Amino acid sequence: MWMRLPSVRKGRECIIPDVSRTYHFGARGLNMNNYFHEHYFATHKINELPNVKMKNIESLKSNEYEKLINKIVSKAKPVDHNKHPCDKDFIPDTKGETYVTYLRMDHATDWTTFKAMAKCFKLWDLDIRGFHKSMWRFFLKGNHVVLVGVPASPYANHKPANITPIYIPPPTTQAPKKDPK
């Protein structure tokens, strides 16, 4: 749980399942209330299959993983970057395809657009985790989806010249209106 802290990670990464196998069961307690539980835990995807076996573990070693990711991103089909990530058909209704989305990420800790996209895909959005070199992977609608931060990720070099990375500005907060009395 605490691997999200840089002081604990020390430049290391965890190999984690694409879909969480843990479930937050408490709807109330010292650090929880019903609203927070329903909003952040009840809607997140969870793998309920027992006895999952990892395949091709050798590909998870650093050099092999870099080759694998470069191959995946280079062969992935770009989604329509003119659509909003929250549109129902942003990820096509296919099965077994690999799609890539390029999102604006000016530096390694610029998570503005990713946080907005995470909400669209029902991914964890309270803090940033589960990424590798400004790139995220997950499965949606039976398809492999890769999000690549541009220019922060080294995998951004696979972005076709005709694609403009998606940018979703942060929500604006308006000052409360004064009572006209």
Side-chain angles (χ1 to χ4, degrees):
M1 174 171 166
W2 300 109
M3 280 299 288
R4 70 177 179 252
L5 299 174
S7 62
V8 174
R9 261 195 330 268
K10 298 179 183 172
R12 300 173 293 182
E13 294 183 18
C14 282
I15 297 173
I16 59 170
D18 294 310
V19 178
S20 178
R21 297 193 63 183
T22 61
Y23 178 73
H24 189 276
F25 59 86
R28 62 183 139 187
L30 181 62
N31 296 309
M32 187 58 50
N33 61 48
N34 286 337
Y35 170 80
F36 191 82
H37 182 269
E38 289 300 315
H39 190 72
Y40 286 101
F41 293 106
T43 62
H44 283 81
K45 305 293 181 203
I46 183 167
N47 178 12
E48 297 176 354
L49 298 174
N51 305 317
V52 173
K53 296 191 190 266
M54 293 186 69
K55 298 176 185 176
N56 199 12
I57 293 174
E58 290 299 309
S59 70
L60 300 177
K61 290 183 177 178
S62 184
N63 289 338
E64 295 304 312
Y65 189 70
E66 290 306 317
K67 290 176 194 171
L68 174 67
I69 295 302
N70 275 292
K71 182 179 177 183
I72 288 169
V73 175
S74 70
K75 294 181 181 245
K77 296 177 181 178
V79 297
D80 183 346
H81 282 63
N82 294 312
K83 293 182 178 179
H84 192 282
C86 290
D87 289 352
K88 185 178 177 183
D89 63 343
F90 182 73
I91 301 298
D93 290 319
T94 59
K95 299 279 187 226
E97 297 290 342
T98 301
Y99 294 103
V100 63
T101 301
Y102 296 96
L103 59 123
R104 186 170 127 190
M105 193 172 176
D106 293 331
H107 50 80
T109 57
D110 174 12
W111 299 313
T112 303
T113 297
F114 173 76
K115 285 177 120 180
M117 291 177 78
K119 285 181 183 3
C120 297
F121 300 134
K122 294 186 174 25
L123 301 174
W124 186 255
D125 63 327
L126 291 183
D127 57 34
I128 307 304
R129 55 178 85 172
F131 64 96
H132 171 72
K133 296 185 178 181
S134 303
M135 181 271 309
W136 291 262
R137 296 171 61 192
F138 56 95
F139 288 83
L140 189 64
K141 297 182 178 180
N143 297 297
H144 190 180
V145 179
V146 183
L147 306 179
V148 177
V150 177
S153 176
Y155 312 116
N157 67 339
H158 297 290
K159 183 186 79 60
N162 65 326
I163 290 180
T164 301
I166 292 172
Y167 174 66
I168 302 172
T172 58
T173 54
Q174 295 180 349
K177 294 182 180 180
K178 292 185 180 182
D179 191 357
K181 290 183 187 177

